Amino acid sequence: MIVRWAVVSLLQARLRMLASSLAVAAAFTLVFMFRAVWEGETRQLATYLERAGADVWVMQAGVSNVHMASSFVGRAKRREVESVEGVRAAAAVLYLNSMVTFSGQRWFCYIVGIEPGQRLGAPWAMAEGRGQVQPGEVVVPGVLARVSGVGLGGSVKVGDRDLLVVGLSEETFSATNPVVFVHREDLADLLWLEGYDSYLLVQANEGTAPGELARRIEAEVDAVEAMTTEELVESDTALARQMGTQIIALMTGICAALATLLVGFTMYVHTARLGTELAVLKAMGFQRGHVYLAVVVQSSLVAASAFGLALAGTAILASLTRGLATVVAVRLTPGAVLEVAGVGALVAIVASLLLARRVASVEPATVFRT
Amino acid sequence: MTDASGVVRTRDLVRTFGEGRRAIRAVDGVSLTVASGEIVVIMGPSGSGKTTLLSLMGALLRPTSGTVEIAGQDVTGMPEARLARLRARNVGFVFQGFNLLDALTVEENVLLPAQLNDGGIGAARSRAEELLGRLELLDRRTARPATLSGGEKQRVAIARALINRVPLVLADEPTGNLDSQRGAEVTMRLHDIARDEGCAVVIVTHDPRIEDVADRVLWLEDGRVRDRRADPHVWVRDPVCGMQVDEWTAGIRLTHAGRDYLFCSERCRERFLREPGAYVQDGGDRHRNEGVS
């Protein structure tokens, strides 16, 4: 009955509850969207690794990433890798994280150097033009071309040289790290690097497990690290997440604090309005814990409705983002939903704790003065 | 618990507010015993300590010194959690302002204290049915307090006070917000049920009509129980409803156009304030406040 009283009395103040829930929902939506954008971008980061066609990636010993990493593997290593039992095919890419200028706009890109006719590591889906590049040519993400206004036949600047856009690729764009493809020689010249590749992309024979092949390559080829695509994707997304963890935690903390204050303020006003009823409950013999339970129920109700509103709001915003601004990848994961639900529960508890003293200080004797 | 020991017993009860030279002894050495089935009315001027005494007797307030026993248990030094349990099982409250919970229906308001009793709400449903029937509230059981009249609200409050078959009911100005007819009706119902169930009732009031149902009337002044004046009543008329009001005990007063008026209830005073001209006529009031010029 006390829980029913708590719920109905809160619902009676509909306008206050709605205003509070909307305000808290706005804070939760910020967390949701931040997480969704971050998760979307992080996932997008790994798309190239997943779609490049390799089962195993071979890189310089001690390197375990592509994202934010440099790797140099001598050209002779390719033949050594090809001779390992279970290798069907191997191809090399040269790779650099650097700025590429599109119509005066600078984008931080993954620049992948490939050779003509190469399939492993080359663009896998094209929107327009061709995916193979000759010296002086470049393939750029279709989204980036659209955003920057550079089309087929236009040019982009990689390092100190202008390259001709011959193809617009699909699934290669992320706001933080779009992938552009250039001829291997152009990138080698840019790097002043001869006789080295960055990564070897290996396909396994049928019946050979990628993990087993990776271990075999590491055993038979000196000074290299071999990882399955799955391991590399996990390593890169973990690195990306690690880089964003503190920012996300800070953002979540700020929004949670804001939400706690909002719920706390709402409950403060609400308990002030219901001060006499709280005193009546205590006079009747309800313990402090009973009254506190009522406040927790009310805080939880505000937090839960805010969570629901935020979830709905985020779904709408995410679909709008996908529809209107495809430059940002948005992905709402069950983990993020659970995390915000946890934040909501914490907000309700902390907001209730803020009121514990107030609830405890309600004097039952005041019922005779009202 | 016997009549001899009393349902509620106070000994040399003192309650002081403030400290040092500013200390006020709201209750000053009160000793009294109220037995089962007894109806005691406590009267006295405003500020005489009536409500403080009622709070002490209901274990809502701790005494500065002296003792309070409820249902044979000394509550003076009892921890708060035990006090709350004791109130739930032994004391029912009726307030001037009704103090019903707006979010609950009539029936839920009545059943609420049963949540704290053995058996809980389920076991109290038939009792609630019985009380609602006796107080003629069965057809209003699903109504919200906001839709009830003052008299109905106070009847719900009485049912709520009695739901746990408590041995003691404490009522603070139960007719204070009711007009004379409804005040009399509520008083009689409280009297009848308390008598039938053998519970002790202590009523603090300014309303002299309640004296009619009392077994004992105590006069509290300056925190002490005193003898009443030899001539206890100087009757004047409430200018709104025409009811007789005891000038000496009436607490609801108003000065208008240089004259003092006494009222039986806040409601009458509010009606007077809205339209004084309707009650103060040329050559005299419609119902003259004869003793207060």
Side-chain angles (χ1 to χ4, degrees):
Chain A
M1 193 78 81
I2 192 102
V3 171
R4 183 172 152 66
W5 168 76
V7 172
V8 177
S9 67
L10 187 64
L11 294 178
Q12 280 183 330
R14 279 187 204 93
L15 209 60
R16 188 184 306 124
M17 189 190 161
L18 184 68
S20 175
S21 295
L22 283 173
V24 176
F28 285 170
T29 304
L30 274 177
V31 178
F32 267 139
M33 283 306 289
F34 199 74
R35 286 293 307 260
V37 168
W38 191 266
E39 191 62 36
E41 285 297 312
T42 303
R43 286 301 305 159
Q44 198 61 30
L45 203 73
T47 304
Y48 173 67
L49 307 181
E50 289 173 328
R51 302 300 303 270
D55 296 315
V56 173
W57 290 65
V58 178
M59 60 211 84
Q60 182 182 333
V63 175
S64 56
N65 290 97
V66 172
H67 181 57
M68 308 294 284
S70 295
S71 167
F72 300 101
V73 180
R75 297 221 82 179
K77 297 286 182 190
R78 180 174 165 182
R79 272 184 291 280
E80 286 183 52
V81 168
E82 281 171 336
S83 67
V84 173
E85 187 190 342
V87 172
R88 181 154 61 101
V93 296
L94 203 53
Y95 161 83
L96 174 69
N97 254 199
S98 188
M99 288 295 182
V100 176
T101 308
F102 291 75
S103 299
Q105 287 182 302
R106 284 154 62 84
W107 289 80
F108 192 72
C109 296
Y110 283 176
I111 306 167
V112 179
I114 53 175
E115 291 179 342
Q118 179 175 336
R119 292 208 171 278
L120 287 174
W124 56 91
M126 298 300 296
E128 232 178 304
R130 54 186 161 86
Q132 298 298 320
V133 282
Q134 298 297 328
E137 295 177 346
V138 65
V139 172
V140 300
V143 173
L144 192 46
R146 196 172 68 238
V147 169
S148 58
V150 177
L152 286 180
S155 73
V156 298
K157 195 164 196 165
V158 179
D160 61 350
R161 59 193 65 187
D162 290 318
L163 302 179
L164 179 71
V165 177
V166 295
L168 307 179
S169 57
E170 287 185 335
E171 302 176 21
T172 48
F173 179 79
S174 82
T176 47
N177 288 92
V179 186
V180 300
F181 298 89
V182 298
H183 194 278
R184 189 188 176 288
E185 281 178 18
D186 285 336
L187 190 54
D189 284 351
L190 198 68
L191 291 168
W192 292 53
L193 191 70
E194 286 300 327
Y196 286 94
D197 294 310
S198 294
Y199 297 90
L200 300 176
L201 283 67
V202 179
Q203 279 186 322
N205 277 330
E206 269 189 36
T208 303
E212 185 193 327
L213 182 59
R215 302 295 84 80
R216 204 178 293 156
I217 291 170
E218 278 185 342
E220 294 181 22
V221 181
D222 283 342
V224 296
E225 196 93 27
M227 297 171 79
T228 64
T229 297
E230 200 178 320
E231 287 168 342
L232 190 60
V233 165
E234 196 173 311
S235 177
D236 263 21
T237 48
L239 177 66
R241 284 200 183 97
Q242 190 185 346
M243 291 169 70
T245 299
Q246 285 182 335
I247 299 170
I248 288 176
L250 182 68
M251 182 80 179
T252 306
I254 291 169
C255 289
L258 183 67
T260 304
L261 286 176
L262 288 166
V263 176
F265 179 71
T266 304
M267 294 314 302
Y268 184 88
V269 172
H270 191 64
T271 51
R273 191 180 73 86
L274 293 178
T276 303
E277 297 199 357
L278 294 177
V280 169
L281 288 171
K282 282 191 167 183
M284 272 186 218
F286 281 91
Q287 304 277 356
R288 195 179 293 179
H290 286 118
V291 181
Y292 188 64
L293 169 72
V295 175
V296 171
V297 166
Q298 290 171 335
S299 300
S300 303
L301 203 63
V302 174
S305 59
F307 175 78
L309 285 170
L311 205 55
T314 304
I316 293 167
L317 278 176
S319 82
L320 284 176
T321 306
R322 285 188 200 106
L324 300 175
T326 46
V327 290
V328 181
V330 180
R331 185 165 184 258
L332 193 58
T333 63
V337 174
L338 278 178
E339 187 181 298
V340 178
V343 168
L346 193 69
V347 163
I349 291 166
V350 175
S352 307
L353 282 174
L354 293 176
L355 292 171
R357 200 169 155 193
R358 182 181 179 84
V359 169
S361 68
V362 171
E363 280 294 333
T366 57
V367 288
F368 283 136
R369 289 171 222 145
T370 54
Chain B
M1 174 176 40
T2 65
D3 279 3
S5 63
V7 174
V8 60
R9 189 161 71 161
T10 70
R11 287 286 171 270
D12 302 321
L13 202 56
V14 174
R15 173 66 199 207
T16 306
F17 291 107
E19 288 178 355
R21 292 172 64 186
R22 290 184 181 171
I24 295 167
R25 284 166 87 91
V27 171
D28 191 4
V30 173
S31 297
L32 68 92
T33 301
V34 183
S36 294
E38 190 179 17
I39 296 179
V40 173
V41 170
I42 300 175
M43 302 184 82
S46 293
S48 60
K50 301 186 298 294
T51 300
T52 304
L53 178 58
L54 204 64
S55 300
L56 290 165
M57 292 169 80
L60 295 175
L61 207 57
R62 291 184 188 278
T64 307
S65 66
T67 60
V68 179
E69 283 178 24
I70 298 172
Q73 296 182 70
D74 185 351
V75 302
T76 317
M78 203 176 262
E80 182 53 44
R82 275 189 64 199
L83 272 184
R85 275 197 294 278
L86 178 130
R87 282 199 300 270
R89 290 172 184 180
N90 295 285
V91 189
F93 294 98
V94 178
F95 309 104
Q96 178 178 359
F98 319 122
N99 286 344
L100 301 178
L101 304 189
D102 288 338
L104 301 181
T105 64
V106 164
E107 187 174 30
E108 288 167 340
N109 264 286
V110 173
L111 281 167
L112 186 62
Q115 187 175 333
L116 302 168
N117 213 0
D118 295 336
I121 287 171
R125 289 201 183 276
S126 60
R127 167 74 169 159
E129 186 91 8
E130 174 206 335
L131 287 169
L132 289 173
R134 285 197 72 171
L135 291 158
E136 293 178 30
L137 288 165
L138 277 174
D139 59 335
R140 307 289 277 152
R141 65 201 305 166
T142 57
R144 300 260 180 209
T147 65
L148 303 179
S149 69
E152 285 174 325
K153 284 180 185 171
Q154 201 58 298
R155 280 184 275 147
V156 175
I158 290 170
R160 180 177 67 181
L162 294 165
I163 187 76
N164 284 346
R165 296 184 191 280
V166 292
L168 174 64
V169 171
L170 302 175
D172 183 39
E173 299 280 6
T175 59
N177 277 349
L178 303 176
D179 59 32
S180 55
Q181 187 188 340
R182 291 201 170 83
E185 178 199 338
V186 161
T187 307
M188 286 316 296
R189 286 179 189 274
L190 179 59
H191 167 266
D192 292 349
I193 296 176
R195 273 281 148 78
D196 291 351
E197 306 210 343
C199 71
V201 179
V202 179
I203 304 172
V204 159
T205 187
H206 283 103
D207 186 348
R209 295 165 299 174
I210 293 185
E211 284 185 53
D212 297 339
V213 300
D215 297 309
R216 257 194 303 161
V217 178
L218 301 177
W219 182 256
L220 201 69
E221 196 171 339
D222 297 331
R224 292 169 176 267
V225 177
R226 297 178 191 277
D227 290 335
R228 289 177 61 132
R229 295 196 313 191
D231 175 15
H233 301 299
V234 176
W235 295 110
V236 295
R237 282 191 184 279
D238 180 320
V240 176
C241 68
M243 205 187 97
Q244 283 199 323
V245 182
D246 185 351
E247 182 206 346
W248 213 46
T249 62
I252 304 168
R253 294 162 181 264
L254 174 72
T255 302
H256 174 75
R259 285 190 68 176
D260 286 341
Y261 294 90
L262 302 180
F263 302 90
C264 71
S265 65
E266 274 296 340
R267 196 166 153 169
C268 283
R269 193 178 81 97
E270 282 165 16
R271 284 167 69 181
F272 183 89
L273 277 172
R274 276 200 295 272
E275 204 180 355
Y279 306 107
V280 181
Q281 296 165 355
D282 291 341
D285 307 340
R286 206 177 72 189
H287 300 295
R288 292 180 69 84
N289 257 183
E290 288 154 345
V292 203
S293 52

